[in-house]
Amino acid sequence: MVARWTEETLFTSGDKFFDELVKSIRRARSSIELECYIVVKGVLGDRIIGELIEAARRGVQVRLLIDGWGSPNFMWDYWPQLKAAGIKVRFYRVFPFILRKLPGDPNSFFKRLLLRWRQMNHGNHRKFCLIDNEELYVGSFNISDVHLQELTGEDAWKDIGIRVRGGDLKYARRAFQRAYRGWTAFNLPARSPRLLLLNDSYLHKRSTRNQIIQQLKKAQRRIWLATPYFVPIGTVLRLLVKQAKAGLDVRLIIPQKNDIFFMHWISLPLLKDLANHGAKIFIYQPRFAHQKIFIADDWMCIGSSNLNHRSFLHDLEMDVVITNDETKAQLEATYLEDQKASEPFDRSEWANLPIWQRWVGSFFILLKYWA
């Protein structure tokens, strides 16, 4: 029997995603566990933090795990009021110069110093909220006003997320527990499920990477991808080139606008190579497209993983495999709408860049292992 989620709801709007998340938080009876890479002080941040505090006041166990690099001001913006409400907060990593003892840290100053440096290249890029161990919100949405159209209008980041219910949610809880315990965790990997892609141990990382690669390798008809940062590991780039040369419908949507100013320059030589072998590349025009989409024939997956080295080699990620035919049809329709709002990739663009931009791009390509 093929594993399936019992319920799936796809969100292509940050406004709708967070409206539904708030409703679920208000319905919570026993537990809320939230991980997020970026939490920014603002209208949305105040709203979500306020709802979590209200949940804690009515007796719900609330725990947060925050990446201190992605959310450098969280420690001052929101942590004091969360602590006052009895909510437990831990930081997956913080900057090396922050040596104060944080929850979960070793008591020894020197061990904390070693821990800070050891964590530098391993972030928590996951964005998920597990409520009562019954419903899970996952996607590319951070807790930031840039995701809300009601606040930023047509400049709101384009993202995608999903809410799921089903038996595999126990793996989300285990993933939260392992990351929350941090350096003290006895990290024996649980069996990595097929519906929830995790990379929080060596075996999970290998399993998830291989599952995505195997789906791309097994594809017979199409590979449709969307990512804001196209700096793939060599195995994936070579596989995409091979599948495009074999005649598969290989498509890639990346944004024209980006929050990392030099990202487009890094990607250009890689995009040109892919396009030269028959892949169709589209540059999304209206706004910054931060979404992450993997489609290989009828296998579809969304979440926090980018097509870059950080997601495949360094950072914690969580992605959800879509199982419902109606949800798959919605995702495919969304992809085609984004394609209509895109311009075809210009293979001559790299050659036409000013020499200094090509130098910058070439320099950062040398550092792609950390990108």
Side-chain angles (χ1 to χ4, degrees):
M1 182 178 178
V2 178
R4 301 180 66 85
W5 297 108
T6 57
E7 181 184 315
E8 299 173 355
T9 305
L10 191 71
F11 301 99
T12 56
S13 156
D15 303 69
K16 185 65 175 175
F17 179 86
F18 287 108
D19 282 348
E20 290 300 310
L21 177 59
V22 165
K23 291 177 185 176
S24 294
I25 291 173
R26 290 175 178 174
R27 291 195 300 265
R29 305 181 306 277
S30 59
S31 64
I32 298 171
E33 287 149 340
L34 183 146
E35 286 187 31
C36 201
Y37 180 61
I38 295 176
V39 182
V40 178
K41 176 72 174 173
V43 173
L44 180 60
D46 290 350
R47 182 183 180 194
I48 298 299
I49 297 300
E51 294 291 344
L52 294 174
I53 290 173
E54 285 301 313
R57 285 174 179 163
R58 65 175 188 268
V60 178
Q61 182 194 54
V62 181
R63 296 190 295 173
L64 276 68
L65 183 62
I66 305 298
D67 188 281
W69 283 44
S71 307
N73 294 321
F74 185 92
M75 201 173 294
W76 297 275
D77 290 339
Y78 290 123
W79 193 25
Q81 62 195 92
L82 289 166
K83 282 197 297 184
I87 294 175
K88 296 180 179 178
V89 178
R90 287 196 177 177
F91 297 89
Y92 187 76
R93 63 170 176 173
V94 293
F95 290 110
F97 54 81
I98 299 176
L99 294 175
R100 60 182 285 196
K101 187 179 184 304
L102 300 173
D105 275 351
N107 291 321
S108 165
F109 172 85
F110 295 103
K111 286 184 178 178
R112 287 202 300 277
L113 180 62
L114 179 63
L115 177 67
R116 299 288 188 263
W117 283 95
R118 198 173 63 206
Q119 290 175 329
M120 281 180 60
N121 198 38
H122 301 284
N124 187 346
H125 192 245
R126 300 193 299 214
K127 308 138 176 61
F128 76 86
C129 187
L130 178 64
I131 299 174
D132 290 338
N133 297 317
E134 293 176 356
E135 54 183 337
L136 176 68
Y137 287 78
V138 181
S140 54
F141 296 102
N142 290 295
I143 299 176
S144 170
D145 290 350
V146 299
H147 298 288
L148 296 186
Q149 212 159 3
E150 65 178 274
L151 296 177
T152 55
E154 295 305 312
D155 290 329
W157 288 14
K158 178 169 179 53
D159 279 275
I160 197 161
I162 194 167
R163 178 181 61 208
V164 294
R165 296 173 181 266
D168 276 353
L169 294 188
K170 62 186 177 184
Y171 295 104
R173 185 119 201 281
R174 291 178 188 176
F176 180 88
Q177 293 277 45
R178 284 195 294 272
Y180 185 81
R181 291 177 186 142
W183 72 281
T184 61
F186 186 52
N187 193 10
L188 279 178
R191 176 180 172 272
S192 183
R194 293 165 56 189
L195 302 186
L196 201 59
L197 304 187
L198 298 163
N199 63 351
D200 54 352
S201 71
Y202 174 75
L203 292 182
H204 275 173
K205 190 184 298 289
R206 182 180 179 85
S207 172
T208 294
R209 186 169 66 232
N210 285 348
Q211 181 165 343
I212 293 174
I213 290 172
Q214 286 304 314
Q215 293 297 336
L216 299 179
K217 188 178 293 186
K218 289 192 306 183
Q220 299 293 313
R221 297 180 290 107
R222 65 175 179 179
I223 296 174
W224 293 2
L225 306 169
T227 184
Y229 316 115
F230 185 72
V231 195
I233 62 173
T235 303
V236 172
L237 182 61
R238 289 190 295 270
L239 181 54
L240 293 177
V241 167
K242 180 180 178 181
Q243 294 289 55
K245 289 171 67 176
L248 271 69
D249 180 9
V250 177
R251 304 185 192 183
L252 172 66
I253 297 177
I254 62 169
Q256 177 67 41
K257 302 174 183 178
N258 206 297
D259 64 333
I260 301 176
F261 76 93
F262 53 79
M263 181 55 62
H264 192 58
W265 307 338
I266 299 177
S267 300
L268 276 176
L270 308 176
L271 296 170
K272 180 181 176 183
D273 186 39
L274 197 54
N276 284 342
H277 289 96
K280 304 179 187 73
I281 298 170
F282 302 93
I283 312 300
Y284 184 75
Q285 299 295 315
R287 48 192 170 133
F288 178 35
H290 185 247
Q291 60 192 354
K292 304 92 166 54
I293 298 174
F294 294 82
I295 299 175
D297 290 344
D298 292 326
W299 184 86
M300 302 186 186
C301 162
I302 63 171
S304 64
S305 292
N306 294 303
L307 265 171
N308 64 0
H309 288 64
R310 293 226 59 83
S311 288
F312 274 72
L313 302 178
H314 306 302
D315 292 344
L316 293 188
E317 306 286 2
M318 179 182 286
D319 301 277
V320 170
V321 176
I322 296 172
T323 62
N324 184 291
D325 289 340
E326 182 179 345
T327 314
K328 290 181 179 181
Q330 291 174 356
L331 182 60
E332 183 174 325
T334 295
Y335 192 95
L336 292 173
E337 283 298 316
D338 293 345
Q339 183 179 310
K340 288 180 183 177
S342 304
E343 295 290 337
F345 173 64
D346 180 3
R347 281 182 276 183
S348 67
E349 186 177 354
W350 173 255
N352 294 331
L353 281 181
I355 188 67
W356 71 270
Q357 291 183 4
R358 278 185 279 166
W359 283 348
V360 170
S362 298
F363 171 75
F364 280 107
I365 284 178
L366 297 175
L367 306 178
K368 64 184 178 182
Y369 176 79
W370 294 275

